[in-house]
Amino acid sequence: MKIICVGRNYIDHINELENQKPDEPVVFLKTDTSILLKGFPFVIPEFSNDVHHEVEVLVKINKVGKYISPKFAHKYYNQIGLGIDFTARDVQAKLKAKGLPWEISKSFDGATVLGDFVDKEQFADLQNLSFQLEKNGEVVQNGNTQDMLWEIDELISYVSQYFTLKIGDIIFTGTPAGVAKVASGDELVGFLEDKKMFGIKVL
Ligand code: ZN
């Protein structure tokens, strides 16, 4: 399986990192080895002093497809989840400054948290889902999918022009504002429409 991530899909997050608003979705990949095993803590890697949490809504692909039109994209996924795209911001900033690919800042072991997935039919409107990340009991990121620059079906259409989508592939749809450094001892809990989707400890 592959993990396809979309960057800069929420305007308030683009502004907080002083990035440019893109003309097309910003896409990058994470390896399957970056997935944090269920029940395990997240260990801050020794090569970074500034690992950020990015809470994101996830889409799980359940049908093989290529060149999918936005109109038919909904046929290619049946589950929605919530996860974290951990990012070594200091490493990424150096790579970005040089115009280099930033995978090592986002795809190191443990950098991908996959929470629970739920059937999409449980939701009346996928483009009006609220989601939150709590750190030590306090809400630090608070988003709603209605604020996406590119909606889920548009993202699926876009990425399928380049990558054949396969069953089990997961799309990270971008993070809202509020990304910040994690520290040893932090407890991170994610909610999608008030349902707890994951809880992890940082070491
Ligand atoms: Zn992200």
Side-chain angles (χ1 to χ4, degrees), residues 10 53-58 81-84 113 115 123 128-147 174-179 187-200:
Y10 288 85
H53 53 72
E54 294 190 354
V55 70
E56 310 198 9
V57 170
L58 313 181
L82 194 75
I84 298 179
V113 174
F123 305 113
N128 186 12
L129 297 178
S130 67
F131 58 103
Q132 288 85 31
L133 183 71
E134 283 186 8
K135 183 164 80 176
N136 307 327
E138 185 188 329
V139 176
V140 288
Q141 288 194 268
N142 192 5
N144 190 296
T145 56
Q146 69 188 350
D147 298 322
T175 195
V179 301
E187 300 263 4
L188 301 171
V189 182
F191 295 89
L192 180 63
E193 294 275 275
D194 299 328
K195 183 185 186 309
K196 183 181 170 182
M197 304 296 276
F198 62 79
I200 60 158

Side-chain angles (χ1 to χ4, degrees), residues 6 28 54 56 85 106 174-175:
V6 177
F28 58 94
E54 294 190 354
E56 310 198 9
D85 168 25
K106 283 184 169 277
T175 195

Side-chain angles (χ1 to χ4, degrees), residues 3-185:
I3 302 159
I4 302 165
C5 298
V6 177
R8 303 181 197 174
N9 203 27
Y10 288 85
I11 196 74
D12 55 351
H13 173 61
I14 292 171
N15 292 336
E16 75 178 343
L17 292 187
E18 297 180 351
N19 282 319
Q20 300 281 21
K21 185 178 166 189
D23 300 323
E24 292 187 313
V26 175
V27 174
F28 58 94
L29 301 174
K30 281 160 85 95
T31 57
D32 56 359
T33 50
S34 70
I35 297 169
L36 186 66
L37 294 175
K38 278 244 187 309
F40 277 66
F42 172 73
V43 179
I44 298 170
E46 95 299 340
F47 55 77
S48 176
N49 291 312
D50 194 22
V51 174
H52 282 197
H53 53 72
E54 294 190 354
V55 70
E56 310 198 9
V57 170
L58 313 181
V59 177
K60 194 184 277 184
I61 299 297
N62 70 335
K63 188 175 168 182
V64 176
K66 188 166 174 66
Y67 297 121
I68 300 163
S69 75
K71 190 168 60 163
F72 296 119
H74 66 96
K75 295 175 183 285
Y76 290 81
Y77 61 99
N78 62 353
Q79 289 193 312
I80 299 293
L82 194 75
I84 298 179
D85 168 25
F86 276 118
T87 304
R89 194 72 70 200
D90 44 359
V91 176
Q92 186 196 29
K94 279 186 201 156
L95 294 164
K96 271 166 73 176
K98 293 179 188 163
L100 293 171
W102 62 46
E103 268 73 10
I104 59 169
S105 72
K106 283 184 169 277
S107 194
F108 55 87
D109 290 359
T112 301
V113 174
L114 304 178
D116 294 339
F117 282 86
V118 293
D119 199 82
K120 72 173 181 186
E121 308 302 337
Q122 289 190 20
F123 305 113
D125 181 359
L126 296 181
Q127 292 305 146
N128 186 12
L129 297 178
S130 67
F131 58 103
Q132 288 85 31
L133 183 71
E134 283 186 8
K135 183 164 80 176
N136 307 327
E138 185 188 329
V139 176
V140 288
Q141 288 194 268
N142 192 5
N144 190 296
T145 56
Q146 69 188 350
D147 298 322
M148 287 180 173
L149 294 179
W150 286 278
E151 296 186 348
I152 292 168
D153 291 352
E154 294 170 318
L155 293 173
I156 286 175
S157 176
Y158 181 81
V159 299
S160 75
Q161 293 177 72
Y162 304 99
F163 310 135
T164 296
L165 297 180
K166 293 176 73 177
I167 295 166
D169 288 350
I170 290 169
I171 302 177
F172 275 66
T173 59
T175 195
V179 301
K181 181 176 175 170
V182 294
S184 183

